[in-house]
Amino acid sequence: MLNLIKADLYRVFKGKSIYIALIILLSLISISCFTMSPGHIGIAATKDTSDVIYDEELNQKLSDTNSIIETRRLVKEYGSYPIDKLQLGANINLYYFFIIIVAVVLVNDLSNSTAKNTLSSAISRKKYYASKLITCLLLGTGLILMNNYVGYFLNLIMNGTNFSSGILEITKLTILQLPILYGIISLLVCLGFCFKKSANFNSITIPLIILVQLTIMGIATLFHLDANHLLSYELQYILTNLVTNQTTTYLVKTTLLGLIYFIGFTAIGYTVFKKAEIK
C-alpha cells in the first residue's frame, strides 16, 4: 500500500494539474489580501461583524469610491480587522481544489482502467481504497496548510499587523476546521468510487455545494423554517462559524459531524467499491 501511495504522489507531482491548481490558489490568496476582502463561491455565509471595525465616515467614503487602490488606502487608514481569519472563514473554496486532487489521484485511474491493472496484482480492494483515501488526505492537508499559512504571511506583509490575528490563532482555527475538511475529502473520495467516470464525477461534485444550499433554503421557505438554523450545519457555514462562533457546544457538534462524515462516507464508498465491477 505504501508503494501505491508513493506512486500516486509521484504521478500527481509529475503532472501539470496540481501546479495549475496551486497557481490558481495562490492567485486567489493574493487577490484576497490585496482587496482586503475574502471571497468564496456559494451563498454568502454569516460572519462576526464585531471583528470588522468600520465607522460611518469610513462606510460613506468606501461607498463613494470604485478604486481598489483608494479602498485599500481608506481601509488601512480607518479600519482594523483580521483579514487572515476572514480568509479562513472562506475555506469552502478549498472544496473545489479537493475535487482536482481526487480526480487526479482516483477518478482518472477508474476512468482509464488503470485501477483494474492495479487490482489484478497483489493489491486488495481494501488496501486500494485506503491508499487512495490516505493520498487524498495527505495532499489535502498540504493544500490546507499552504492556503492558511501563505494567506497569513502574505496578509501580514501586504496589510500589516492591524489586519492580522496572529499565527497562533490561525493555527488554532486550522485545527478546528480539519475534521470537517477531512469529512469533505472523504465525501469526494466516496463519490469518486461511486461514479468512477470523470464526466459523472465532475457533474455531481462541482455544483454540489450550491445545490445543497439552495435545497436547504428551499425547504426552509416551503415549510416556514429558520433557514439560518438549518444552514448552521451546512459545510460552508460550518467553516465560517468555526472562525466566528467558537462555542464549546458548536465545536463538539461540528467535530462529531466531521467524524461522522469521514466514517460514514468511507464505509459507503468502500462498500460500493467492493461490490462494483471494475472495467
Side-chain angles (χ1 to χ4, degrees):
M1 188 171 73
L2 184 60
N3 288 335
L4 189 56
I5 294 172
K6 289 180 179 178
D8 280 334
L9 290 174
Y10 174 80
R11 182 161 52 85
V12 168
F13 289 108
K14 188 74 173 177
K16 298 178 181 179
S17 298
I18 190 67
Y19 297 105
I20 294 173
L22 291 177
I23 290 171
I24 294 172
L25 181 61
L26 290 173
S27 299
L28 292 175
I29 294 171
S30 301
I31 292 170
S32 175
C33 290
F34 184 74
T35 60
M36 308 179 79
S37 175
H40 54 75
I41 300 172
I43 298 171
T46 58
K47 64 174 181 264
D48 185 2
T49 54
S50 65
D51 282 340
V52 183
I53 304 173
Y54 280 179
D55 55 26
E56 292 182 6
E57 181 183 3
L58 175 56
N59 284 329
Q60 183 60 47
K61 289 182 178 181
L62 289 175
S63 65
D64 291 339
T65 180
N66 294 319
S67 169
I68 294 177
I69 302 297
E70 179 64 10
T71 298
R72 277 182 56 81
R73 187 191 68 78
L74 289 170
V75 172
K76 293 185 76 170
E77 181 177 351
Y78 294 97
S80 176
Y81 58 93
I83 296 172
D84 46 12
K85 281 181 65 175
L86 297 181
Q87 287 174 327
L88 265 63
N91 269 354
I92 192 61
N93 292 341
L94 291 174
Y95 169 83
Y96 300 96
F97 295 93
F98 294 157
I99 290 176
I100 297 173
I101 289 174
V102 175
V104 173
V105 171
L106 169 63
V107 180
N108 286 350
D109 275 7
L110 296 173
S111 292
N112 300 327
S113 300
T114 308
K116 184 176 181 179
N117 296 332
T118 304
L119 292 169
S120 64
S121 62
I123 298 294
S124 67
R125 294 200 179 201
K126 182 183 294 185
K127 289 183 177 180
Y128 183 86
Y129 193 102
S131 69
K132 295 297 184 182
L133 179 59
I134 291 171
T135 303
C136 290
L137 289 172
L138 288 173
L139 292 169
T141 301
L143 199 67
I144 294 165
L145 296 178
M146 190 194 81
N147 174 75
N148 292 2
Y149 287 105
V150 169
Y152 165 76
F153 285 111
L154 189 59
N155 172 63
L156 189 63
I157 292 169
M158 293 177 67
N159 301 315
T161 55
N162 284 344
F163 298 90
S164 171
S165 59
I167 194 167
L168 292 180
E169 180 69 9
I170 294 301
T171 300
K172 183 186 80 170
L173 294 175
T174 299
I175 294 171
L176 293 179
Q177 287 187 338
L178 280 179
I180 203 69
L181 289 171
Y182 285 165
I184 292 173
I185 293 173
S186 67
L187 164 63
L188 291 172
V189 171
C190 171
L191 293 175
F193 277 104
C194 289
F195 294 99
K196 300 181 184 68
K197 298 297 183 182
S198 296
N200 296 337
F201 175 75
N202 291 333
S203 64
I204 293 294
T205 56
I206 291 174
L208 183 61
I209 294 293
I210 295 176
L211 288 176
V212 169
Q213 292 174 342
L214 292 175
T215 300
I216 292 174
M217 294 188 71
I219 291 172
T221 301
L222 183 62
F223 295 100
H224 305 287
L225 302 174
D226 184 357
N228 286 330
H229 178 71
L230 292 177
L231 286 168
S232 64
Y233 295 100
E234 184 272 332
L235 296 176
Q236 177 182 334
Y237 277 67
I238 289 174
L239 293 172
T240 301
N241 289 334
L242 284 174
V243 173
T244 61
N245 181 28
Q246 298 170 25
T247 63
T248 302
T249 301
Y250 191 76
L251 291 178
V252 171
K253 287 182 178 179
T254 53
T255 300
L256 287 175
L257 184 61
L259 184 62
I260 291 169
Y261 271 30
F262 184 82
I263 295 173
F265 286 119
T266 299
I268 293 170
Y270 176 66
T271 300
V272 171
F273 178 54
K274 186 169 63 175
K275 297 178 179 179
E277 181 183 356
I278 305 300
K279 298 180 180 179

